[in-house]
Amino acid sequence: MEREKALELVKAQLTERRYIHTLGVAESAVRLAKKYHADVKKAELAAIFHDYAKFRPKEEMKQIILDQKMDERLLSFHHELWHAPVGAYLVEKEAGVTDREVLDAIKYHTSGRAGMALLEKIVYLADYIEPGRNFPGVEEARRLAGKDLDEAVLYAAGHTITFLIGRNQPVFPDTIALYNDLVRKKEGE
């Protein structure tokens, strides 16, 4: 799918603020894909569509999770996680994107998972460091992104976990698995 068509489809689903965020994620994903030798077109497409389902009604997302037999653990966690796997499903059904790498990058951009593929890491990190983000630690994440993709993803996952714990919120098991996976890889070096 061409960039302009993807942007047109996504813009209709998002607020103006979220659309600007999406453009920043796409810009960051392209930059990371070039640096880490990933498919630039796939990275950009996944980044453009990453928040496609962000503003779908919670009941609709819940029903899709149930109907499509997605990981039902999602329903025990904050609905903010739901838009990623539901988005991957809807991007395939409504936008006709069938590339599994692109869909998986969309699906795991919020939670991450152990054994993430290169494209998944790029979109996960691009969402975290896009130029519009401004929170304690984002500059360090950007610095690490310029040096080592796994280190940057590990840092982002660690900060996400710490943020959730600091607010007495549960951490989705896939996020813990991502963190543990990267720590073990680092220890094995």
Side-chain angles (χ1 to χ4, degrees), residues 36-161:
Y36 293 106
H37 311 291
D39 186 308
V40 174
K41 283 194 175 292
K42 288 183 182 188
E44 183 176 49
L45 189 63
I48 288 170
F49 278 115
H50 84 284
D51 276 348
Y52 184 77
K54 183 85 171 175
F55 298 107
R56 294 293 175 109
K58 282 187 268 188
E59 278 307 308
E60 178 188 358
M61 288 195 285
K62 181 179 181 179
Q63 200 56 54
I64 290 170
I65 290 167
L66 293 170
D67 290 349
Q68 297 306 310
K69 297 180 179 17
M70 294 178 184
D71 187 342
E72 285 190 32
R73 294 178 305 171
L74 288 162
L75 301 176
S76 300
F77 289 83
H78 197 280
H79 63 82
E80 192 59 32
L81 286 174
W82 302 357
H83 78 278
V86 169
Y89 169 78
L90 291 173
V91 166
E92 183 173 10
K93 295 298 169 223
E94 296 178 2
V97 174
T98 58
D99 187 300
R100 184 52 45 205
E101 288 180 273
V102 170
L103 295 173
D104 281 348
I106 296 166
K107 182 177 182 176
Y108 296 108
H109 85 269
T110 55
S111 65
R113 66 172 174 159
M116 285 179 90
L118 177 61
L119 194 64
E120 294 171 32
K121 290 176 187 175
I122 284 169
V123 175
Y124 178 90
L125 189 59
D127 186 31
Y128 195 82
I129 66 168
E130 66 94 357
R133 295 282 197 201
N134 184 19
F135 56 85
V138 74
E139 288 304 325
E140 178 63 9
R142 289 179 180 133
R143 185 188 72 74
L144 289 169
K147 291 176 46 180
D148 185 307
L149 184 63
D150 279 356
E151 277 291 321
V153 172
L154 175 61
Y155 181 86
H159 269 252
T160 298
I161 291 165

Side-chain angles (χ1 to χ4, degrees), residues 7 10 14 17-27 47-52 130:
L7 287 171
V10 165
L14 303 178
R17 184 169 175 233
R18 185 54 54 165
Y19 182 71
I20 291 166
H21 160 76
T22 295
L23 294 175
V25 176
E27 172 191 319
I48 288 170
F49 278 115
H50 84 284
D51 276 348
Y52 184 77
E130 66 94 357

